[in-house]
Coordinates of all heavy atoms in Angstrom, one line a residue:
R56 N -22.5 -6.1 -1.4 CA -23.9 -6.4 -0.9 C -24.6 -5.1 -0.6 O -25.8 -5.0 -1.0 CB -23.8 -7.3 0.4 CG -25.2 -7.7 0.9 CD -25.1 -8.6 2.0 NE -24.4 -8.0 3.2 CZ -25.1 -7.3 4.1 NH1 -26.4 -7.1 4.0 NH2 -24.4 -6.7 5.1
V57 N -24.0 -4.1 0.0 CA -24.6 -2.9 0.3 C -25.0 -2.2 -1.0 O -26.1 -1.6 -1.1 CB -23.7 -2.0 1.1 CG1 -24.2 -0.5 1.2 CG2 -23.6 -2.5 2.5
L58 N -24.2 -2.2 -2.0 CA -24.5 -1.6 -3.3 C -25.5 -2.4 -4.1 O -26.0 -1.9 -5.1 CB -23.2 -1.4 -4.1 CG -22.2 -0.4 -3.5 CD1 -20.9 -0.4 -4.3 CD2 -22.8 1.0 -3.5
G59 N -25.7 -3.6 -3.7 CA -26.6 -4.5 -4.5 C -26.0 -5.0 -5.8 O -26.7 -5.3 -6.7
V60 N -24.7 -5.1 -5.8 CA -24.0 -5.5 -7.0 C -23.6 -7.0 -6.8 O -23.0 -7.4 -5.8 CB -22.7 -4.7 -7.2 CG1 -21.9 -5.3 -8.4 CG2 -23.0 -3.3 -7.5
S61 N -24.1 -7.8 -7.7 CA -23.7 -9.3 -7.6 C -23.7 -9.8 -9.0 O -24.7 -9.6 -9.8 CB -24.7 -10.0 -6.8 OG -24.4 -11.4 -6.8
P62 N -22.7 -10.5 -9.4 CA -22.6 -11.1 -10.8 C -23.5 -12.3 -10.9 O -23.9 -12.7 -12.0 CB -21.1 -11.5 -11.0 CG -20.7 -11.7 -9.6 CD -21.4 -10.8 -8.7
D63 N -23.9 -12.9 -9.8 CA -24.7 -14.1 -9.8 C -26.0 -13.9 -9.0 O -25.9 -13.6 -7.8 CB -23.9 -15.2 -9.2 CG -24.6 -16.6 -9.3 OD1 -25.6 -16.7 -9.9 OD2 -24.0 -17.5 -8.7
P64 N -27.1 -14.1 -9.6 CA -28.4 -13.8 -8.8 C -28.6 -14.8 -7.7 O -29.2 -14.5 -6.7 CB -29.5 -13.9 -9.9 CG -28.9 -14.6 -11.0 CD -27.4 -14.4 -11.0
T65 N -28.0 -16.0 -7.8 CA -28.1 -17.0 -6.7 C -27.4 -16.5 -5.5 O -27.8 -16.8 -4.3 CB -27.6 -18.4 -7.1 OG1 -26.2 -18.2 -7.5 CG2 -28.4 -19.0 -8.2
A66 N -26.3 -15.7 -5.6 CA -25.6 -15.1 -4.5 C -26.5 -14.2 -3.7 O -26.5 -14.2 -2.5 CB -24.4 -14.4 -4.9
L67 N -27.3 -13.4 -4.4 CA -28.2 -12.5 -3.7 C -29.3 -13.3 -2.9 O -29.6 -13.0 -1.8 CB -29.0 -11.6 -4.7 CG -28.2 -10.4 -5.3 CD1 -29.0 -9.7 -6.4 CD2 -27.8 -9.5 -4.2
D68 N -29.8 -14.4 -3.5 CA -30.7 -15.2 -2.8 C -30.1 -15.9 -1.6 O -30.7 -15.9 -0.5 CB -31.2 -16.3 -3.7 CG -32.1 -15.8 -4.9 OD1 -32.6 -14.7 -4.7 OD2 -32.2 -16.4 -5.9
A69 N -28.8 -16.3 -1.7 CA -28.1 -16.9 -0.6 C -27.9 -15.8 0.6 O -28.1 -16.2 1.7 CB -26.8 -17.4 -1.0
I70 N -27.6 -14.6 0.2 CA -27.4 -13.6 1.2 C -28.8 -13.3 1.9 O -28.8 -13.1 3.1 CB -26.8 -12.3 0.6 CG1 -25.4 -12.5 0.2 CG2 -26.9 -11.1 1.5 CD1 -24.8 -11.4 -0.6
R71 N -29.8 -13.2 1.1 CA -31.2 -13.0 1.7 C -31.5 -14.1 2.7 O -32.1 -13.8 3.8 CB -32.2 -12.8 0.6 CG -32.1 -11.5 -0.1 CD -33.3 -11.3 -1.0 NE -33.0 -10.2 -1.9 CZ -32.8 -10.3 -3.2 NH1 -32.8 -11.5 -3.8 NH2 -32.5 -9.2 -3.9
R72 N -31.2 -15.3 2.3 CA -31.5 -16.4 3.2 C -30.7 -16.4 4.5 O -31.2 -16.7 5.6 CB -31.3 -17.8 2.5 CG -32.5 -18.2 1.7 CD -32.3 -19.6 1.1 NE -32.0 -19.4 -0.3 CZ -30.9 -19.9 -1.0 NH1 -30.1 -20.6 -0.4 NH2 -30.8 -19.6 -2.2
M73 N -29.4 -16.0 4.4 CA -28.6 -15.8 5.5 C -29.1 -14.7 6.5 O -29.0 -14.9 7.7 CB -27.1 -15.6 5.1 CG -26.4 -16.7 4.5 SD -24.7 -16.4 3.9 CE -24.2 -15.0 4.7
E74 N -29.5 -13.7 5.9 CA -30.0 -12.5 6.7 C -31.3 -12.8 7.4 O -31.6 -12.3 8.5 CB -30.2 -11.3 5.8 CG -28.9 -10.7 5.4 CD -29.1 -9.5 4.4 OE1 -30.2 -9.4 3.9 OE2 -28.1 -8.8 4.2
T75 N -32.2 -13.7 6.9 CA -33.4 -14.0 7.5 C -33.4 -15.1 8.5 O -34.3 -15.3 9.3 CB -34.5 -14.4 6.4 OG1 -34.0 -15.5 5.7 CG2 -34.8 -13.2 5.5

Side-chain angles (χ1 to χ4, degrees):
R56 184 175 63 86
V57 167
L58 293 172
V60 176
S61 177
D63 184 7
T65 57
L67 284 175
D68 294 335
I70 290 171
R71 284 188 193 110
R72 275 186 254 127
M73 286 176 20
E74 290 175 343
T75 58

